[in-house]
């Protein structure tokens, strides 16, 4: 089959909050022909099938589908072309993508490419949960699509497996199961605490527990768990939902030879969302996974200026910048490259995640043994919650030096316990 070749000015891959926000602002800024590709049949990304409220600005929250429609309508009104059912299958050049869709095969070349392919929850297979392979094993996204988009039935008795820190996703799974008429047998988490109870979210909570086996042939019949004390139990259920534990959808970026950051597993980008490939940007949960939709949309808006500067040829593509690395118990930082002469990151701050609860945390930034910054955070750091590092230190980084390393110290960690020491600041 022949492949049609076309050229556009800006090609956005992914019509979730980040991609649609980028397309809206680029089209409104007269960046030329802005085209968005979405492999699903409708734009909007994950919010499209998340029917609970809480999307959009805090002062005007709405449901996920309303938020997704609002974003898609804004992109179309601004003049962007939003094409659904179209999948980018690979790269034919640095800014040339091969696609397949309802109108056949295409090869699209753009002056700038914005990758906004989002993130997904790790399924049971990626979590290496042993046992049989019965029906009734879902992620939250699969559950929501089955119930809210396709109107499909789910089981009658369900276990929810919560990732520490991703409380909102676990609550959304509980809500969706109850909407479908299912009884929530228990919410299981490896953490020491689960989502805070509320009148709307009451369920048996099993903390410090790990799913060690799924049972049943044809249909799930049970989930075997083991607690931190070694005792085990079998929970009778016909449905299990694995929630949270996000991973960026980085396959297209990886196929394009774009370097990934070791912490986030998304593309490594500088403070202007530029990857190592000239003309290719990356935004949203592709960079880190699991951040709120409003944050992803903000990054989509934030890429407008850098893309316009690239199209105008007013800024040379940087040589890569200095990588930013984090030390345990920090998990990752985004953006993860910095140019001392470059622009500040969005909001003039970096986003980080931590693996454990830390009281009175102090972030310390070093390069080649030199302390660039110390920042005491005003609140306790919790797994699954973002913490922010102000960017006032970036101009002090040596562009020819080694990686910038970010560590965290806390009063809740003992000196010599294998983690950062107590620090008096």
């Amino acid at each position: 089959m022949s492949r049609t070749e076309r050229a556009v000015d800006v090609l956005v891959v992914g019509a979730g909050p980040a991609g649609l926000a980028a397309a809206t602002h680029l089209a409104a800024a007269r960046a030329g022909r802005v085209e968005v590709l979405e492999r699903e049949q409708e734009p909007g990304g994950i919010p499209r099938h998340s029917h609970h409220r809480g999307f959009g600005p805090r002062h005007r929250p709405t449901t996920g589908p309303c938020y997704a429609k609002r974003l898609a309508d804004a992109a179309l009104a601004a003049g962007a072309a939003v094409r659904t059912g179209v999948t980018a299958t690979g790269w034919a050049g640095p800014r040339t993508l091969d696609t397949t869709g309802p109108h056949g095969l295409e090869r699209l070349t753009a002056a700038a490419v914005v990758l906004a392919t989002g993130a997904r929850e790790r399924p049971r297979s990626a979590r290496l949960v042993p046992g049989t392979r019965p029906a009734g094993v879902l992620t939250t996204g699969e559950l929501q699509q089955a119930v809210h988009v396709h109107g499909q039935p789910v089981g009658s008795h369900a276990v929810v497996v919560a990732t520490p820190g991703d409380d909102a996703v676990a609550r959304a799974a509980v809500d969706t199961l109850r909407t479908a008429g299912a009884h929530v047998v228990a919410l299981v988490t490896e953490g020491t605490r689960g989502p805070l109870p509320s009148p709307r979210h009451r369920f048996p909570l099993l903390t410090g527990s790990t799913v060690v086996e799924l049972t049943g042939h044809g249909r799930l019949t049970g989930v075997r768990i083991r607690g931190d004390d070694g005792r085990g139990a079998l929970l009778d259920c016909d449905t299990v939902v694995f929630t949270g534990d996000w991973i960026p959808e980085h396959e297209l970026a990886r196929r394009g030879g774009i370097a990934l950051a070791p912490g986030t597993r998304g593309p490594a980008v500088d403070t202007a969302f530029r990857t190592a490939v000239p003309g290719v940007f990356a935004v949203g949960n592709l960079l880190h996974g699991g951040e709120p939709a409003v944050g992803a949309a903000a990054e989509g808006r934030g890429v407008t200026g850098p893309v316009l500067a690239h199209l105008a040829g007013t800024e040379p593509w940087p040589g890569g910048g200095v990588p930013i690395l984090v030390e345990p118990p920090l998990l990752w930082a985004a953006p993860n490259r910095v140019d001392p002469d470059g622009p500040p990151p969005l909001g003039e701050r970096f986003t980080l995640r931590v693996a454990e609860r830390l009281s009175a945390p102090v972030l310390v930034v070093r390069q080649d043994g030199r302390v660039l910054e110390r920042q005491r955070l005003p609140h306790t750091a919790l797994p699954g919650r973002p913490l922010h590092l102000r960017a006032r230190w970036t101009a002090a980084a040596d562009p020819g030096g080694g990686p910038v390393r970010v560590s965290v110290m806390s009063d809740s960690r003992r000196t010599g316990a294998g983690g950062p020491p107590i620090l008096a600041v």
Side-chain angles (χ1 to χ4, degrees), residues 124 128-132 188 190 209-215 223-227 231-233 242:
R124 171 262 183 103
L128 303 179
V129 177
T132 57
V188 178
E190 296 179 6
S209 301
T210 304
V211 176
V212 295
E213 184 183 6
L214 304 185
T215 64
V223 171
R224 195 178 303 279
I225 64 172
R226 183 171 60 224
R231 292 187 295 180
F242 290 93

Side-chain angles (χ1 to χ4, degrees), residues 25 28 60 133 150 165 167 195 213 308 324 328 332 350 394 404 415:
H25 288 77
R60 198 158 54 98
R133 297 180 177 274
H150 303 297
D167 295 357
E213 184 183 6
L308 292 175
I324 301 174
W332 52 257
F350 296 84
T394 55
V404 170
T415 302

Side-chain angles (χ1 to χ4, degrees), residues 390-403:
R390 293 190 296 276
R392 60 194 182 194
W393 54 270
T394 55
D398 178 2

Side-chain angles (χ1 to χ4, degrees), residues 2-335:
S2 62
R3 188 179 291 276
T4 304
E5 296 192 22
R6 290 193 298 117
V8 298
D9 294 289
V10 182
L11 186 62
V12 181
V13 185
L20 290 173
T24 298
H25 288 77
L26 285 164
R30 302 185 183 282
R33 178 172 176 79
V34 178
E35 190 161 308
V36 187
L37 306 182
E38 171 56 51
R39 66 184 177 187
E40 298 287 341
Q41 297 303 313
E42 295 183 26
I46 289 176
R48 189 169 56 85
H49 48 77
S50 301
H51 281 223
H52 57 279
R53 294 181 67 84
F55 290 88
R58 288 186 179 179
H59 67 280
R60 198 158 54 98
T62 186
T63 64
C66 289
Y67 181 64
K69 185 177 186 306
R70 187 183 302 167
L71 291 174
D73 289 346
L76 293 171
V82 180
R83 301 176 60 211
T84 59
V86 180
T87 301
T89 57
W91 301 76
R95 295 187 303 280
T96 300
L97 285 165
D98 286 340
T99 71
T100 182
H103 300 292
L105 303 179
E106 281 193 314
R107 178 162 292 173
L108 293 171
T109 298
V113 174
V114 179
L115 299 178
T117 48
R120 58 181 166 80
E121 296 167 289
R122 291 182 194 271
R124 171 262 183 103
S125 57
R127 304 183 195 218
L128 303 179
V129 177
T132 57
R133 297 180 177 274
V137 183
L138 305 168
T139 63
T140 310
E142 292 169 340
L143 171 70
Q144 290 176 326
Q145 289 201 47
V147 174
H148 295 309
V149 179
H150 303 297
Q152 297 172 340
V154 295
S156 59
H157 289 71
V159 168
V160 175
V161 182
T163 300
D166 284 328
D167 295 357
V169 185
R171 290 195 188 98
V174 170
D175 280 345
T176 305
L177 286 166
R178 287 177 174 165
T179 297
H183 169 66
V184 177
V185 175
L187 187 146
V188 178
T189 177
E190 296 179 6
T192 57
R193 63 184 66 192
L196 293 175
S198 71
R200 196 163 59 92
H201 299 95
R202 294 192 181 281
F203 39 74
L205 177 62
L206 301 176
T207 60
S209 301
T210 304
V211 176
V212 295
E213 184 183 6
L214 304 185
T215 64
H217 296 278
R219 181 80 192 189
L220 183 76
T221 58
V223 171
R224 195 178 303 279
I225 64 172
R226 183 171 60 224
D228 287 344
D229 59 3
R231 292 187 295 180
L234 179 64
L235 306 177
D236 293 331
C237 61
D238 57 16
T239 302
V240 59
V241 184
F242 290 93
T243 70
D245 196 3
W246 299 93
I247 183 171
E249 289 272 16
H250 59 212
E251 185 63 24
L252 184 63
R254 194 174 60 79
R255 288 190 182 189
I258 295 172
L260 304 183
T264 63
R265 302 299 298 162
V269 295
D270 66 7
T271 52
F273 303 106
R274 293 172 293 203
T275 70
V277 177
V280 180
F281 300 79
V283 293
N285 279 333
L286 169 63
L287 297 180
H288 31 61
E291 293 298 303
V294 67
E299 292 186 358
R301 293 193 299 273
V303 81
T304 304
V307 170
L308 292 175
H310 169 70
L311 294 177
T314 56
E315 292 184 8
W317 200 261
V322 180
I324 301 174
L325 305 178
V326 299
E327 298 177 0
L330 292 173
L331 296 173
W332 52 257

